[in-house]
Amino acid sequence: MATSAPVAEGLVRRADRQLAAATRSAAASASSKNAGGTDFLDMDFSPLAKSQVLKILAERPAGAPFAYVVTPNVDHIVRIQRLRSDLWPMYRSAWLNLCDSRILALLASWTGRSLLPIPGSDLTADLLQQVVRPDDRIAVVGGDPVMIESVRQNYGLRNLVHHNPPMGFASDPLALEQAARFAIDAHARYTFLAVGSPQQEILAYRIARSGEATGIALCIGASLQFLSGDQQRAPRWLQQLALEWLFRLLSNPQRLWRRYLVDGPLILPIFNAWREKSDRRREPRHLCPYHARYKR
C-alpha cells in the first residue's frame, strides 16, 4: 500500500530529526575539549559511532528523498586538497561524512579532536548483514556481473539491480547521465556506488541534484570486492595498527605504489598547513603579535 505524500514527508522529517539529535548527542558525549570538534582538514565529519549510523540508515524511510554517505580517507583528502578542489561540493552536500581512515583519526587526535574511524568496508558488511532485508530494493553501480552475483547469493538479496558503467564514465556526460538515470529509476532503498573515488562522489552529487531520486546511496569503493572474495582485506591486527594501507600496497604494488608512496605522504604537509591555519584562527584578536607569542 502506497504511503501518502504528507505521511511520507513526516517520516522523512522525523528521520532527519533523529539524525540531528543523534549527532548532537554524540558530540555532547565527548569531552568538553572535543565536543562538536568534528571539523578536521576542512571536512565536517560526523561524530556518530557505527552502531548509531546503522540505526539511522535502518530507520530512514525507503521513499525518503535521496541522500548519500561519503567515507573520506587519506587518498580523498590529498586529492581534494591538492588536485581537485572542484570536488568540495560533492563532500559538503553529503548527508553523512564518515571517517574511513585510522590515520586521519590519529592525526585528528594530535589536535585534540576525536574522529571515530568507520571503514566503508565494515559499514557495508554490517549494513548487508544486520539491516538490509532480502526483499529490500538494492541498486549497485559498478562491479562485474560475477562479483554482483556472488554478493547477491551470499546475502540472499532477492531484489537487486545492477549497472556497470564504462571506465572513466564520470568524464563522459552521456555515461554519467546513464548511470545517474539508472540509480534514479531503480527506486532502491539502498544504492551502493562501487566505482571508486572520485567517480562515486561525482555520481552521488549528480543524482542528488536531479531532485528525482529516493533512498540512500553509499560511496563504498572496493567494499563489495572484499565481501565477494575478489580482494582480501588486511588482518584485523594490521587494521588496528593503521597499517591496512601497507597490506594493500604489498598485495598490489604495481597499481597502488603511487597512491601510498607518493600521494599518501602529502597528507602530512596538508595536516601541518591546516593546523597552523586553525591556530591562527584561534589567536585572540585583541593581542599584539608579541603578546600573543608569549601568551601561549
Side-chain angles (χ1 to χ4, degrees):
M1 180 176 179
T3 304
S4 67
V7 172
E9 291 174 2
L11 290 173
V12 173
R13 286 195 297 271
R14 184 177 68 181
D16 287 340
R17 284 197 301 271
Q18 290 172 339
L19 171 61
T23 300
R24 289 193 299 270
S25 175
S29 66
S31 68
S32 59
K33 183 178 181 181
N34 295 337
T38 56
D39 172 57
F40 182 61
L41 299 177
D42 296 323
M43 286 276 186
D44 185 19
F45 287 98
S46 167
L48 302 179
K50 185 172 62 174
S51 60
Q52 294 172 297
V53 173
L54 290 170
K55 183 175 186 293
I56 290 168
L57 293 176
E59 293 179 350
R60 197 165 195 268
F66 182 79
Y68 63 97
V69 179
V70 295
T71 55
N73 57 28
V74 168
D75 184 49
H76 296 211
I77 298 293
V78 170
R79 180 186 300 112
I80 201 170
Q81 293 273 9
R82 290 296 178 97
L83 300 173
R84 295 287 305 272
S85 61
D86 60 308
L87 297 175
W88 278 117
M90 289 67 170
Y91 288 87
R92 289 173 174 162
S93 298
W95 189 60
L96 279 177
N97 192 337
L98 307 174
C99 174
D100 183 23
S101 169
R102 288 182 172 84
I103 292 176
L104 290 182
L106 176 62
L107 292 175
S109 71
W110 293 353
T111 70
R113 288 167 171 79
S114 177
L115 283 186
L116 295 176
I118 304 178
S121 298
D122 292 343
L123 180 64
T124 302
D126 288 347
L127 185 66
L128 288 171
Q129 292 169 356
Q130 303 174 25
V131 175
V132 172
R133 295 168 297 188
D135 290 324
D136 278 339
R137 180 74 160 174
I138 304 297
V140 179
V141 179
D144 64 77
V146 174
M147 182 192 76
I148 298 304
E149 185 58 29
S150 175
V151 172
R152 185 201 307 270
Q153 294 294 330
N154 290 344
Y155 294 95
L157 305 175
R158 296 196 289 260
N159 195 7
L160 183 152
V161 291
H162 174 230
H163 173 70
N164 191 21
M167 292 289 291
F169 77 96
S171 60
D172 180 340
L174 179 58
L176 179 60
E177 176 59 28
Q178 289 174 339
R181 179 50 53 185
F182 163 80
I184 293 168
D185 293 342
H187 300 293
R189 179 165 194 176
Y190 301 107
T191 298
F192 295 96
L193 304 180
V195 289
S197 181
Q199 295 196 116
Q200 57 199 17
E201 290 81 18
I202 293 171
L203 177 57
Y205 185 63
R206 169 67 184 82
I207 297 167
R209 285 178 62 84
S210 75
E212 302 177 59
T214 56
I216 295 176
L218 296 95
C219 299
I220 63 167
S223 297
L224 296 182
Q225 295 179 28
F226 295 128
L227 297 184
S228 67
D230 287 9
Q231 287 193 41
Q232 184 180 359
R233 285 199 71 184
R236 182 65 65 176
W237 66 272
L238 276 178
Q239 296 178 38
Q240 296 294 334
L241 292 174
L243 290 174
E244 188 167 10
W245 66 271
L246 180 59
F247 180 87
R248 296 194 66 189
L249 172 62
L250 296 176
S251 299
N252 196 342
Q254 186 173 0
R255 185 173 72 87
L256 297 175
W257 71 269
R258 183 174 183 84
R259 177 189 297 183
Y260 292 124
L261 299 181
V262 178
D263 297 334
L266 293 175
I267 193 64
L268 295 176
I270 289 171
F271 167 70
N272 287 331
W274 178 85
R275 182 166 58 176
E276 291 175 4
K277 182 175 65 175
S278 298
D279 289 344
R280 287 196 300 270
R281 286 175 179 171
R282 291 196 298 268
E283 196 71 71
R285 293 183 179 272
H286 64 281
L287 297 178
C288 70
Y290 178 86
H291 190 185
R293 189 184 313 131
Y294 292 98
K295 187 72 173 177
R296 293 174 184 168

